């Protein structure tokens, strides 16, 4: 079974050709074009601008993915596309392209929830054992999910305000670091003392699985109004606050639901210190974290998720849904 995946939910334009034989999901090609240069210039993603870039990039990116897979179009069995959540203009580019290709090439179309897709990066070259706890930590989401099986998941909790990645990005901005801020803070933090500043760890002791990160950003803003601390020390302290909360809640979920595996996904999972602290906190269960290039937005994870879902009967009924939630 071979699936062409398409992902355009935020500013990336991505296409990938992925194969499943038996239990093994392997990437044949994985192409990601991002408007990172524009983002860095404007300090973030400008939705209209992202969609305009995606309209230009989508066909070349799909052509490149097919060409790199060294397969003929006739060898592709189905198309998978992200239909939400995300930016409406961006989602439309992928969804309408996928619908058109599905009709023209006469191939089934499988709509994928972007958040579910992130988790399925863990099924590439691996097969995590159910039940598992899924922790999604990206620029737009911080969610804990209980996966009982494919297509059977339960939302446990998530952020009430800023996502973990958003907190990294906003704090980085306060420190005059370029966007995206997560990798910048991580790099600086290597030279700093994480105990230098006693920053808040919002909701760390709450018994639920919710998160809140906006207070941390405010604390950093207030600190910077009063003094000019060493950037590396502050970066290390910010990173440590975010990691402490994420690790504590993950351990709490794994223990309460007695799961076999923890699967982590999303851009923040690229953070090396976070990975090391998770492994140290949960030595008794396998923790699956995708390689860095599969943590951030890509289409291979969308194709991977599609192997475990059914195509829709009529591809033309698929609608982009910017507010799509994580429900079964
Ligand atoms: O999953 P992703 O690529 O896009 C969304 O769907 O949001 O995640 C992007 C987020 C950004 O907030 C970025 O700052 C963060 O992931 N990020 C990191 C690291 N690499 C990316 N955060 C902390 N440490 C990193 N190494
Ligand atoms: Zn994402």
């Amino acid at each position: 079974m071979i699936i062409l995946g398409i992902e355009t939910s935020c500013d990336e334009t991505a296409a990938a050709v992925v194969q499943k034989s038996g239990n093994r999901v392997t990437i044949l090609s994985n192409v990601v074009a991002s408007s990172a240069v524009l983002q860095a210039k404007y300090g973030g993603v400008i939705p209209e601008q992202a969609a305009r870039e995606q309209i230009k990039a989508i066909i070349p990116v799909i052509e490149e993915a097919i060409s790199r897979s060294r397969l003929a179009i006739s060898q592709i069995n189905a198309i998978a596309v992200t239909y939400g959540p995300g930016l409406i203009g961006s989602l439309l580019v992928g969804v309408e392209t996928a619908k058109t290709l599905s009709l023209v090439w006469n191939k089934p179309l499988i709509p994928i929830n972007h958040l579910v897709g992130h988790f399925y990066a863990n099924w590439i070259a691996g097969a995590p054992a159910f039940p598992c706890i899924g922790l999604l930590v990206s620029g737009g989401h911080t969610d804990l999910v209980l996966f009982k099986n494919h297509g059977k998941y339960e939302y446990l909790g998530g952020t009430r305000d800023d996502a973990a990645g958003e907190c990294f990005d906003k704090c980085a901005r306060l420190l005059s670091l370029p966007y995206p801020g997560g990798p910048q803070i991580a790099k600086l933090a290597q030279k700093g003392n994480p105990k230098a500043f006693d920053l808040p760890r919002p909701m760390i002791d709450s018994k639920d699985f919710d998160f809140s990160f906006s207070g941390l950003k405010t604390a950093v803003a207030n600190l910077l109004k009063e003094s000019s601390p060493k950037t590396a020390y502050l970066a290390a302290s910010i990173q440590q606050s975010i990691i402490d909360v994420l690790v504590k809640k993950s351990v709490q979920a794994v223990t309460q639901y007695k799961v076999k595996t923890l699967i982590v996904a999303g851009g923040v999972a690229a953070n090396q210190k976070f990975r090391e602290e998770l492994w140290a906190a949960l030595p008794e269960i396998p923790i699956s974290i995708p390689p860095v290039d599969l943590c951030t937005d890509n289409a291979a994870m969308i194709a991977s998720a599609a192997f475990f879902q059914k195509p829709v009967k009529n591809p033309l009924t698929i609608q982009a849904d910017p507010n799509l939630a994580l429900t079964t």
Side-chain angles (χ1 to χ4, degrees):
M1 177 85 169
I2 292 167
I3 293 184
L4 166 69
I6 298 173
E7 153 67 44
T8 62
S9 67
C10 189
D11 73 305
E12 278 89 0
T13 312
V17 179
V18 180
Q19 179 171 34
K20 181 166 183 282
S21 27
N23 267 337
R24 212 177 157 74
V25 177
T26 34
I27 297 178
L28 303 182
S29 68
N30 188 20
V31 180
V32 183
S34 90
S35 44
V37 179
L38 291 174
Q39 281 174 26
K41 189 168 162 197
Y42 295 105
V45 176
I46 299 174
E48 285 75 14
Q49 199 176 41
R52 272 203 297 275
E53 293 300 313
Q54 285 164 317
I55 289 172
K56 285 188 260 171
I58 187 79
I59 299 296
V61 164
I62 292 172
E63 280 175 341
E64 182 71 19
I66 295 174
S67 147
R68 283 194 205 171
S69 77
R70 299 182 177 275
L71 296 180
I73 289 165
S74 59
Q75 290 170 283
I76 294 170
N77 302 105
I79 299 170
V81 66
T82 301
Y83 74 112
L87 303 170
I88 183 64
S90 298
L91 287 167
L92 279 170
V93 176
V95 168
E96 296 309 316
T97 305
K99 278 155 85 168
T100 309
L101 292 179
S102 158
L103 279 183
V104 174
W105 290 344
N106 192 24
K107 297 195 192 290
L109 188 55
I110 307 164
I112 300 294
N113 180 320
H114 179 76
L115 311 178
V116 174
H118 265 297
F119 286 118
Y120 274 84
N122 288 290
W123 268 264
I124 297 170
F130 290 113
C132 41
I133 290 292
L135 171 69
L136 173 61
V137 273
S138 71
H141 291 267
T142 305
D143 293 314
L144 271 166
V145 183
L146 171 65
F147 280 80
K148 294 172 191 158
N149 210 326
H150 296 297
K152 287 206 165 39
Y153 37 83
E154 191 184 310
Y155 178 79
L156 300 180
T159 185
R160 296 185 180 176
D161 40 58
D162 293 352
E166 191 178 356
C167 185
F168 269 110
D169 295 338
K170 286 182 175 171
C171 289
R173 203 183 175 128
L174 292 170
L175 295 173
S176 306
L177 298 169
Y179 181 90
Q184 302 284 336
I185 290 198
K187 198 165 157 223
L188 265 176
Q190 288 173 351
K191 290 179 264 162
N193 174 3
K195 295 200 179 114
F197 296 95
D198 187 19
L199 296 173
R201 276 127 177 94
M203 297 189 74
I204 195 162
D205 292 319
S206 72
K207 294 287 167 252
D208 55 20
F209 297 107
D210 284 349
F211 300 83
S212 163
F213 288 106
S214 72
L216 174 55
K217 168 201 63 194
T218 309
V220 172
N222 289 341
L223 205 146
L224 286 167
K225 268 186 222 148
E226 291 157 11
S227 60
S228 312
K230 268 195 180 159
T231 317
Y233 280 52
L234 188 50
S237 303
I238 293 166
Q239 175 175 266
Q240 196 60 51
S241 289
I242 298 173
I243 291 176
D244 283 353
V245 178
L246 296 176
V247 170
K248 172 97 190 285
K249 297 261 169 168
S250 303
V251 173
Q252 195 174 309
V254 162
T255 315
Q256 184 168 327
Y257 289 93
K258 300 184 177 61
V259 292
K260 293 204 172 116
T261 329
L262 171 66
I263 57 174
V264 190
V268 178
N271 187 288
Q272 191 55 33
K273 182 103 194 298
F274 173 49
R275 289 169 177 241
E276 285 162 13
E277 298 217 359
L278 262 184
W279 283 318
L282 284 165
E284 66 281 8
I285 65 157
I287 302 175
S288 174
I289 310 178
V292 170
D293 59 331
L294 295 179
C295 285
T296 48
D297 287 350
N298 66 87
M301 67 187 194
I302 301 304
S304 173
F307 288 115
F308 304 96
Q309 288 186 37
K310 286 203 176 73
V312 285
K313 286 204 179 79
N314 177 1
L316 292 184
T317 57
I318 297 178
Q319 299 285 338
D321 182 353
N323 302 315
L324 187 65
L326 244 180
T327 48
T328 22

